[in-house]
Amino acid sequence: MKTVYHSAESRGYANHGWLKSHHSFSFANYHNSERNHFGVLRVLNDDYVEGGMGFGRHPHRDMEIISIPLEGDLRHGDNMGNSGIIKRGDIQVMSAGTGIMHSEENATQQPVKFLQIWIIPNKTDVTPRYDQINIEENSVKNDFQQILSPNQDDAGVWIHQDAWFNLARFDKGFSKEYKIKKEGNGVYVFVIKGKAKIGDQILNDRDGFGIWDAESFVLEAEENSEILLMEVPMELPK
């Protein structure tokens, strides 16, 4: 088993006034040659947007983009005709493919907090698409809840990549083994809130921990915790 630990404090940080963003991997003006990506996990941004502010319409191409709101309401609009609000309990996915234009704005005067995640796809020039689902309707405690996979018929949203995301809402003291689904994949564990342990490594709020060259590992909650597990291929597409 190989591992890498990223403390919350070691992340890149950008303060634009209306936007405060922590970057687990190199992004925009933050560059760390040792943290450009974790396999095909290219971006993990922990964003805070002031009320009434947001990202104006901007382009993306050949990237799988996942947004997970943690607090507040985020208004989405794109050139495919999709518009609406995503909030805590929702997960949004866009396959940028041949190109999309979209905007993300705080729909209220209260702050919005959300995770934006970019995954490098296993195929390019796909037809752009959008999907949004509520994951609270089937929420579970003390288990791994799948919220993303490569398969359209599985639980959660799907993307063009052999990746699986799970939410773990564990009570203090609960532990469970996570079995990696595909050979060559690794898992990036991100603590949304709480405190957890993998092996001898303690993970606190917003810490990240990557695991690869392993078949499984045990995740244990040191406190009541909410944890995102992102299983992704470790080899970049050629």
Side-chain angles (χ1 to χ4, degrees):
M1 177 186 291
K2 296 179 181 176
T3 64
V4 63
Y5 169 63
H6 297 152
S7 69
E9 293 75 20
S10 71
R11 296 177 296 171
Y13 179 65
N15 186 343
H16 301 284
W18 65 272
L19 167 68
K20 299 175 179 65
S21 184
H22 287 91
H23 311 308
S24 293
F25 304 101
S26 296
F27 186 83
N29 293 328
Y30 167 64
H31 179 72
N32 182 334
S33 61
E34 296 181 356
R35 289 171 66 165
N36 283 327
H37 57 91
F38 178 82
V40 300
L41 173 57
R42 177 61 191 87
V43 168
L44 173 55
N45 286 350
D46 185 1
D47 289 344
Y48 171 103
V49 179
E50 292 285 357
M53 305 299 290
F55 304 90
R57 188 158 284 203
H58 57 282
H60 292 285
R61 183 184 173 95
D62 288 330
M63 195 67 69
E64 303 291 306
I65 301 169
I66 301 103
S67 295
I68 303 176
L70 303 177
E71 184 180 308
D73 296 344
L74 192 65
R75 179 184 292 113
H76 166 86
D78 63 46
N79 64 341
M80 295 180 285
N82 301 296
S83 63
I85 303 294
I86 59 172
K87 57 186 181 299
R88 179 171 173 81
D90 293 335
I91 180 170
Q92 176 202 76
V93 64
M94 293 182 292
S95 295
T98 55
I100 60 168
M101 297 282 293
H102 81 123
S103 60
E104 297 162 302
E105 298 171 344
N106 190 333
T108 71
Q109 293 305 308
Q110 303 302 314
V112 161
K113 299 177 182 178
F114 72 106
L115 301 179
Q116 183 160 107
I117 301 160
W118 294 6
I119 301 290
I120 300 168
N122 56 18
K123 57 182 71 174
T124 58
D125 294 327
V126 301
T127 301
R129 67 180 185 92
Y130 175 90
D131 196 12
Q132 172 187 338
I133 65 169
N134 184 276
I135 54 178
E136 287 296 316
E137 297 170 356
N138 300 307
S139 67
V140 296
K141 289 193 70 175
N142 295 325
D143 203 353
F144 298 118
Q145 179 186 357
Q146 182 177 289
I147 62 172
L148 176 147
S149 81
N151 306 309
Q152 298 183 43
D153 297 329
D154 274 4
V157 295
W158 68 275
I159 63 171
H160 295 284
Q161 188 52 270
D162 293 325
W164 288 263
F165 285 15
N166 280 268
L167 273 177
R169 297 182 176 99
F170 285 3
D171 290 333
K172 180 180 180 180
F174 183 82
S175 65
K176 189 175 178 72
E177 181 184 28
Y178 181 89
K179 296 181 179 179
I180 293 175
K181 294 176 176 57
K182 184 174 180 180
E183 186 177 355
N185 279 8
V187 181
Y188 195 81
V189 178
F190 184 76
V191 179
I192 296 173
K193 63 179 179 180
K195 185 177 182 180
K197 182 169 72 169
I198 298 174
D200 295 328
Q201 181 64 59
I202 297 294
L203 304 172
N204 294 294
D205 282 7
R206 297 322 209 247
D207 285 354
F209 190 63
I211 302 159
W212 68 105
D213 285 356
E215 295 182 354
S216 66
F217 60 90
V218 174
L219 176 65
E220 180 179 357
E222 299 280 291
E223 299 174 354
N224 293 345
S225 300
E226 184 174 8
I227 302 159
L228 178 63
L229 294 86
M230 294 165 278
E231 177 179 336
V232 296
M234 295 304 292
E235 184 174 342
L236 295 176
K238 293 183 171 64

